Amino acid sequence: MKFPKKTLDDLTDLKGKIVLTRVDFNVPLDSSQGVTDSTRLEAAAPTIKRIIELGGIPLLMSHMGRPAGQVVEELRLAPVVEPLSRLLGCPVKAARDTVGESARQMIDSLQPGEVGLLENLRFHSEEKQNDREFSRELASLGDLYLNDAFGTAHRAHASITGVTEFLSPAVGGYLIEAEFEKLTEVRDNPERPLMVLLGGAKLADKLPVIKHFLEQAEVVMVGGAMAYTFALARGNSVGESRVEPDFVDEARDILENRDRFKGELLLPVDNLILDTTSDGQRIKTTTTDSIDEGWEGMDIGPKTVEKFCQQLESAGTVFWNGPFGAFDYDERFARGTRKIAEKLAGLEAKVVVGGGDSASAVKQSGFADQLYHISTGGGASLQLVRGVELPGFKVLDDK
Ligand code: ADP
Ligand code: 3PG
Ligand code: MG
């Protein structure tokens, strides 16, 4: 589906105008404050460069982490300044605060060809509260508003929705336009059969997605940590595996009603498990989907990989959210996810990956370049594919 909102391409002359631009620079940092994955910076670069080409001055604003309304030194946006400046090939000036005197001083010093960056929006609790006064204050810093923060488009925060009450035009950037168009392909007219791979954890976010795709897709394959909650719901032993007890009932409900759904639900048939008494040394593969006491499920097993890969061969479209093992914990638990990524890379099917950890798992596997689309959004991509209207899109000017 074409993006139904105005974009940067609907603006012509931005000469000397300050474009208040919401980006999602919530990037992972290492212990010495280095950016470990700059995908989100790269993804926003085309929009920022285009603003400069049109004579505008990008004034960027983002959140970083969840500082809960106070200044947390480790969550300043300073670490992105240097990589961003290198990427854009122009100076990036950062303010020590999001609004107020230091922000104004920085903005006053901006020259055409330079980029301004406000401090972490979430140092102010008013951001998450979508506070009207704070929104007005943010809006007063720019001449018009642009949103290219796809990863945060599902949040109705001041910098995303509130600000548009006070600033116009309000348009989208190239990243959210591209994300919208690729993700709505999965949502509205996927090449059939549509197969959905769901792993990772956080059942609160993912159960609605499982239910949605059991209605919409031909096959839903579940792996990763959330499979153990399903195993528990089925009455299996799961040993020391990571389960989410609050969701066992809902998982059981899905299992008991699985015949009523259009889609087939596939669960792991074996697991790679870790002996929790062995100092992280001893691992083995189970022959069933049951896990003994003292052992923890860390990845899907080889039989499951084979079963899922066989299914995927006939897929027309694949949507994947959530890694199938604790790939980020130990290389030994990345095998299942990597094997699935390798399989997907060799398919004709359009493969769309959404989710923060999913995207890094796929990149780590080395097959990312061979897939159709890797979203920069986690929660936002999940909501979009299951038909929830994103607050950040809604408020932008219609085409
Ligand atoms: P995404 O960010 O892509 O939506 P999630 O945040 O839901 O994905 O899940 C990613 C997390 O799930 C990772 O930290 C990974 O280590 C964890 N995980 C996946 N499989 C397992 C498993 N078998 N045991 C423990 N943790 C797992
Ligand atoms: C993300 O990383 O998923 C986005 O930046 C949104 O962050 P949030 O879940 O803290 O709102
Ligand atoms: Mg995650």
Side-chain angles (χ1 to χ4, degrees):
M1 187 179 170
K2 279 259 160 244
F3 190 55
K5 299 292 184 171
K6 287 220 167 104
T7 70
L8 190 49
D9 288 339
D10 295 299
L11 307 174
T12 44
D13 189 13
L14 292 180
K15 216 152 252 129
K17 293 206 172 121
I18 294 187
V19 184
L20 184 65
T21 304
R22 180 46 155 113
V23 286
D24 187 343
F25 286 171
N26 184 27
V27 292
L29 302 174
D30 61 24
S31 54
S32 43
Q33 294 269 290
V35 175
T36 55
D37 181 352
S38 55
T39 305
R40 281 180 168 175
L41 307 183
E42 289 155 24
T47 292
I48 302 169
K49 285 183 177 161
R50 183 67 185 148
I51 293 171
I52 298 172
E53 268 170 30
L54 291 169
I57 300 176
L59 176 59
L60 309 178
M61 53 177 177
S62 177
H63 73 287
M64 169 78 90
R66 294 178 173 175
Q70 54 187 341
V71 176
V72 175
E73 289 301 326
E74 297 74 40
L75 294 177
R76 287 194 179 277
L77 281 166
V80 310
V81 170
E82 205 265 327
L84 183 65
S85 171
R86 213 171 339 112
L87 201 65
L88 299 171
C90 72
V92 174
K93 290 181 175 164
R96 287 285 289 177
D97 198 355
T98 324
V99 289
E101 204 37 50
S102 76
R104 290 224 175 254
Q105 269 177 17
M106 180 275 284
I107 295 164
D108 287 345
S109 79
L110 286 174
Q111 303 293 321
E114 293 182 342
V115 170
L117 176 66
L118 300 173
E119 188 50 282
N120 190 343
L121 288 154
R122 292 188 185 169
F123 285 175
H124 296 263
S125 56
E126 295 90 341
E127 160 68 358
K128 280 185 94 160
Q129 292 156 356
N130 197 14
D131 179 82
R132 203 155 176 264
E133 272 320 300
F134 185 67
S135 301
R136 190 204 300 272
E137 216 175 329
L138 284 174
S140 74
L141 302 176
D143 298 312
L144 67 147
Y145 175 74
L146 185 145
N147 186 356
D148 212 18
F150 178 71
T152 333
H154 59 314
R155 307 281 185 219
H157 295 171
S159 65
I160 296 161
T161 56
V163 71
T164 60
E165 187 187 335
F166 304 102
L167 210 48
S168 114
V171 304
Y174 298 136
L175 175 61
I176 66 170
E177 181 179 32
E179 291 270 15
F180 179 86
E181 294 185 358
K182 297 277 173 42
L183 289 163
T184 50
E185 276 187 53
V186 172
R187 188 190 69 185
D188 301 337
N189 50 2
E191 187 81 37
R192 301 279 172 178
L194 169 62
M195 301 200 184
V196 176
L197 297 164
L198 292 170
K202 294 191 290 194
L203 274 162
D205 294 344
K206 307 216 177 176
L207 276 171
V209 183
I210 297 181
K211 286 185 186 161
H212 172 80
F213 281 117
L214 280 171
E215 306 277 4
Q216 301 296 326
E218 276 69 29
V219 186
V220 177
M221 296 171 237
V222 168
M226 67 179 167
Y228 311 125
T229 302
F230 278 91
L232 198 61
R234 234 174 10 192
N236 283 354
S237 50
V238 294
E240 319 308 313
S241 304
R242 180 169 164 187
V243 290
E244 295 178 74
D246 292 349
F247 297 100
V248 175
D249 287 344
E250 217 175 316
R252 189 180 300 115
D253 195 54
I254 291 175
L255 291 171
E256 282 170 359
N257 290 297
R258 64 202 280 184
D259 295 343
R260 293 202 208 142
F261 294 114
K262 163 183 170 175
E264 190 184 351
L265 174 64
L266 299 183
L267 292 165
V269 291
D270 61 350
N271 299 285
L272 181 73
I273 59 175
L274 171 73
D275 182 350
T276 55
T277 63
S278 72
D279 245 1
Q281 290 312 305
R282 212 146 71 94
I283 57 171
K284 68 175 182 186
T285 303
T286 60
T287 49
T288 68
D289 54 352
S290 235
I291 298 170
D292 290 339
E293 221 172 280
W295 293 79
E296 183 180 1
M298 301 308 288
D299 196 4
I300 50 174
K303 275 200 291 181
T304 307
V305 169
E306 206 186 308
K307 183 175 158 185
F308 286 5
C309 285
Q310 224 163 34
Q311 273 291 332
L312 288 167
E313 247 156 47
S314 62
T317 308
V318 178
F319 178 70
W320 183 7
N321 167 265
F324 280 158
F327 77 100
D328 45 350
Y329 180 75
D330 190 317
E331 177 55 31
R332 293 175 298 171
F333 312 135
R335 181 184 176 274
T337 302
R338 191 174 48 240
K339 285 277 174 198
I340 300 284
E342 183 179 5
K343 180 74 192 178
L344 293 173
L347 296 177
E348 289 284 302
K350 275 189 179 167
V351 179
V352 176
V353 179
D357 292 295
S358 319
S360 35
V362 167
K363 276 178 213 140
Q364 193 176 305
S365 78
F367 296 103
D369 291 348
Q370 294 164 63
L371 305 180
Y372 181 60
H373 182 63
I374 316 269
S375 177
T376 55
S381 64
L382 289 181
Q383 295 205 9
L384 186 55
V385 292
R386 70 181 173 91
V388 178
E389 186 176 28
L390 302 183
F393 285 5
K394 195 173 166 194
V395 294
L396 300 177
D397 298 348
D398 291 322
K399 262 256 194 282

